Amino acid sequence: MDGKLYDLMDWAGIEEIVYSEAANPHEILGPHVTEQGLLIQAFIPTAESVIVRFRESGKEYPMELADEAGFFAALIPRKTTEAYTLLVTYDNGTSEECLDPYSFSAFYESEDIKKFESGIHYSIYEKMGAHPMSAGGAEGVYFSVWAPCAMRVSVVGDFNLWDGRRHQMRRLGDSGIFELFIPGLRTGAIYKYEIKHINGTPQLKSDPYANYCELRPDNASVVWDINQYSWGDQEWMKKRAGSDSKQSPMSIYEVHLGSWFRKEVELDENGAAIVGSEFYQYREIAEKLAEYVKDMGYTHVELLPIMEHPLDASWGYQVTGYYAPTSRYGTPDDFMYFMDYMHKQGIGVILDWVPAHFPRDSFGLASFDGTCVYEHKDPRQGAHPHWGTLIYNYGRPGVSNFLIANALFWADKYHADGIRMDAVASMLYLDYGKNPGEWIPNIYGGHENLEAVEFLKHLNSIFKGRKDGAVMIAEESTAWPRITADVKSEGLGFDYKWNMGWMNDFTGYMQYDPYFRKHHYGEMTSSMLYAYSENFILVFSHDEVVHGKGSMLGKMPGETLEEKAANLKAAYGFMIGHPGKKLLFMGQDFAQVSEWNENKSLDWEILKYPLHKQTQDYVKALNHLYKSQPALYQMDYDPDGFEWVECTDSKDSIVCFLRKTKKKEETLLFLCNFDTMHHEKYPVGVPFEGKYKEILNSDDKAFGGQGRVNPRAKTSKKKEADERPDSMEITVAPLSIIVFTCTPEKKKPALAGKKTRKPAYTEKAKAKRK
């Protein structure tokens, strides 16, 4: 080796690279201008020879083999850098011409690092992950990952024989961020990060910020450019930003894409099942789902988590790829098409999101760089003992930034209309699901997770600051106060909260035999005592039809399916009338008999039976009634929008109430009979003198009832009932919900400009008195 070249070599640094322990390989590899000339060094294991070729001049300079492991160097007589390629011949006789990954400068600005270290880099997903891009005229892929305690991080894949020595990444100062631009890579490349721990143990990890992943059971990340899709939902997005969801109808259809509809599994030429062939793709299911949702009258769909997850049975709630829509149903572009198509059909899409915990899968976030990067080290803080999952360290800026940016990512890149946050209660309480000794109190000795509280406030304040109409929804099962209050008013800042109390109490009430409901009347009416404490969404969610709980139809009392269906229809009717937005899980709207099973399609075939088709027609009628009547949604969160007419008739298990707007003529009257008694002339107090027309009755023959309805409009009478001066008498069928429109009596105005002539007898009477 040339003496000058030998003296320039940093042999300790070279050894670090050869043994793949370099945290900053760019200090050695790539071009470096020295007093003796331009020093170019490359580490290419299995290479037999390497030649430097300058792209402009075409001059070539052979590199010397400095280390048999594949370390090459060349000292070129020039004092400036110039774009070059490497002509590599490998030990198997193949050769290639490639750009040097170590000839490119860092892509992070100092401001990026400062913002990430402070937990406020809300578009960090534009830097982290794998991004196809152009740099210095070269096409390639830029990789970036956060692994603060790693000795070394490399990008590995088919393109480099999964050899962690080849593409070692550069650590940016003390930030813990590693980066590398690899020229020549394209969309579709499969990759992982090989992370060497401080103790020297290497481990393969999927990219936490990957935009696409392999189909399970494979778990490598896939390079994808998510900025290529051409959106067509501009009209929807503009309309959404200019509207107030709280004063608009919101009837949500909760869906698990993998089991709403399924295909027959396809077999390969050897008779083996083709992995993933049972699923409809995003583009296929979009059209089917939109048609169904529009026909049924829902306004939104809510998808159980579509973020990448390894286990079908988790329904998506154990996420390993937070920035990637699951490949079970197609590519990221396919999912963008799904979202776009839904919006074009006038349907909003809410995405379930899981920042409360993550699984222990070795290729995922757990012990990401050999240390607890995303979770707490102490299992009393960092693990859910009953779920077997790990808890995020919300107080660590890099972790909170990962999660906050992720929520924004789905709203920004995929146009999500809402984010429904799963298991918020498990985040708020340090002792959630834990026994004494399994948790650590906060600094004040309490069980509140103060770091999670601040994380939620931070997230919601930033999310709302976008002012594009997208909403945040909390699934929170306790009485934690002010979930939906503004952050500036000591609230957590969510837009909506699932009303789990109503779901549990009302479902429990409906499960009683009607004969005994009179003794549990308060369980049905009590929800109005707290209905305005939060902005609630009433839910009959997937949680109600899993883990041995049976179907919604199966929960209902009755010796026959018809009796059960009558109870179920009464429950759905009460739900539509009760203040709050609405949510039903798939299958509940046609009274599926069996419990939901994620491994097969819904039981669509039972719609050939009248009971199920009539129940479906009834739910459709409820949805269309809900959307057409402003009283059912405009003042959901204003106490003036609801008024009890009768809430003490426990002996008959009957309630009656009004839903109102600021317009008197938009008032609706609901009567709900939860008993099996039939009433011929049931007196009902009405809000004012006028006409009352029945517009929906669950006992209608069209819905499988016996037709005990009120076919003609009724005029109120001056007869007291329910402590009101005006009333009417109606037919009330057993287990029925009845809805009336309320039209005030119009007074005939006096004719303007004319004096009313007094009766003649009055004039005669005056004359006599005179």
Side-chain angles (χ1 to χ4, degrees), residues 258-334:
S259 59
W260 186 68
F261 260 110
R262 277 207 180 196
K263 300 178 180 179
E264 291 293 327
V265 176
E266 298 178 18
L267 304 179
D268 62 19
E269 56 187 12
N270 298 317
I274 299 176
V275 177
S277 63
E278 68 270 31
F279 299 124
Y280 280 90
Q281 297 298 285
Y282 291 117
R283 293 174 186 263
E284 296 175 309
I285 207 166
E287 297 181 11
K288 291 178 177 290
L289 184 58
E291 181 181 5
Y292 184 80
V293 167
K294 288 174 68 176
D295 179 57
M296 288 298 294
Y298 296 104
T299 63
H300 293 70
V301 294
E302 180 176 317
L303 304 182
L304 269 63
I306 52 81
M307 298 78 185
E308 194 58 79
H309 52 282
L311 182 65
D312 290 3
S314 78
W315 316 325
Y317 288 99
Q318 294 199 10
V319 180
T320 51
Y322 275 80
Y323 286 82
T326 177
S327 55
R328 288 168 174 81
Y329 319 122
T331 68
D333 283 14
D334 293 335

Side-chain angles (χ1 to χ4, degrees), residues 631-648:
L632 293 178
Y633 58 80
Q634 271 190 5
M635 298 177 67
D636 266 329
Y637 307 111
D638 184 338
D640 290 338
F642 177 92
E643 183 181 335
W644 282 118
V645 173
E646 172 58 76
C647 60
T648 62

Side-chain angles (χ1 to χ4, degrees), residues 7 17 162 186 270 290 294 325 340 354 363 379 393 446 475 534 559 602 607 623 650 668 750 755:
D7 292 339
I17 289 173
W162 297 87
R186 295 287 186 268
N270 298 317
K294 288 174 68 176
D340 202 14
V354 192
F363 64 86
N393 181 353
E475 185 228 4
E534 302 281 4
E559 295 183 0
L602 295 180
L607 282 169
N623 279 333
S650 58
L668 295 179
K755 292 184 178 180

Side-chain angles (χ1 to χ4, degrees), residues 356-377:
H357 61 117
F358 60 96
R360 297 173 181 267
D361 297 73
S362 61
F363 64 86
L365 298 178
S367 300
F368 187 71
D369 63 5
T371 68
C372 295
V373 177
Y374 289 90
E375 70 272 31
H376 284 278
K377 183 177 182 180

Side-chain angles (χ1 to χ4, degrees), residues 139-435:
E139 298 295 324
V141 178
Y142 174 68
F143 296 90
S144 173
V145 66
W146 182 51
C149 293
M151 177 191 295
R152 180 266 302 163
V153 181
S154 298
V155 184
V156 295
D158 292 336
F159 50 86
N160 63 10
L161 306 178
W162 297 87
D163 187 343
R165 298 173 297 169
R166 291 176 181 262
H167 289 104
Q168 299 176 52
M169 303 174 77
R170 164 173 43 203
R171 184 201 295 270
L172 300 177
D174 296 326
S175 66
I177 297 172
F178 289 79
E179 62 144 31
L180 184 67
F181 177 74
I182 303 181
L185 286 189
R186 295 287 186 268
T187 294
I190 295 171
Y191 73 99
K192 281 189 177 184
Y193 295 118
E194 184 182 275
I195 300 177
K196 182 168 279 192
H197 303 168
I198 287 297
N199 64 6
T201 303
Q203 185 175 18
L204 290 175
K205 288 287 189 177
S206 298
D207 187 350
Y209 288 86
N211 293 137
Y212 190 33
C213 301
E214 286 187 299
L215 177 62
R216 57 94 174 101
D218 295 327
N219 52 49
S221 303
V222 181
V223 174
W224 200 266
D225 189 346
I226 62 171
N227 296 312
Q228 296 302 303
Y229 183 82
S230 179
W231 288 88
D233 64 348
Q234 292 81 7
E235 184 178 343
W236 168 271
M237 297 295 282
K238 182 179 179 180
K239 180 180 178 182
R240 189 186 77 184
S243 62
D244 181 358
S245 64
K246 293 184 176 63
Q247 296 180 17
S248 304
M250 186 181 288
S251 180
I252 305 167
Y253 185 54
E254 189 185 26
V255 178
H256 176 254
L257 286 183
S259 59
W260 186 68
F261 260 110
R262 277 207 180 196
K263 300 178 180 179
E264 291 293 327
V265 176
E266 298 178 18
L267 304 179
D268 62 19
E269 56 187 12
N270 298 317
I274 299 176
V275 177
S277 63
E278 68 270 31
F279 299 124
Y280 280 90
Q281 297 298 285
Y282 291 117
R283 293 174 186 263
E284 296 175 309
I285 207 166
E287 297 181 11
K288 291 178 177 290
L289 184 58
E291 181 181 5
Y292 184 80
V293 167
K294 288 174 68 176
D295 179 57
M296 288 298 294
Y298 296 104
T299 63
H300 293 70
V301 294
E302 180 176 317
L303 304 182
L304 269 63
I306 52 81
M307 298 78 185
E308 194 58 79
H309 52 282
L311 182 65
D312 290 3
S314 78
W315 316 325
Y317 288 99
Q318 294 199 10
V319 180
T320 51
Y322 275 80
Y323 286 82
T326 177
S327 55
R328 288 168 174 81
Y329 319 122
T331 68
D333 283 14
D334 293 335
F335 185 56
M336 288 179 182
Y337 175 91
F338 175 94
M339 300 293 284
D340 202 14
Y341 187 85
M342 288 292 169
H343 288 168
K344 290 176 182 177
Q345 298 300 311
I347 301 166
V349 184
I350 298 166
L351 303 180
D352 269 16
W353 185 55
V354 192
H357 61 117
F358 60 96
R360 297 173 181 267
D361 297 73
S362 61
F363 64 86
L365 298 178
S367 300
F368 187 71
D369 63 5
T371 68
C372 295
V373 177
Y374 289 90
E375 70 272 31
H376 284 278
K377 183 177 182 180
D378 191 325
R380 293 175 297 174
Q381 295 174 292
H384 281 298
H386 297 160
W387 293 351
T389 53
L390 300 172
I391 302 171
Y392 284 103
N393 181 353
Y394 302 106
R396 191 171 194 177
V399 176
S400 64
N401 203 152
F402 170 79
L403 292 171
I404 291 172
N406 187 235
L408 298 172
F409 169 84
W410 291 105
D412 292 340
K413 296 297 185 181
Y414 286 91
H415 297 194
D417 300 288
I419 301 291
R420 177 266 192 188
M421 195 180 300
D422 180 62
V424 172
S426 73
M427 301 168 66
L428 292 173
Y429 298 98
L430 295 166
D431 59 346
Y432 185 91
K434 297 181 179 180
N435 299 314

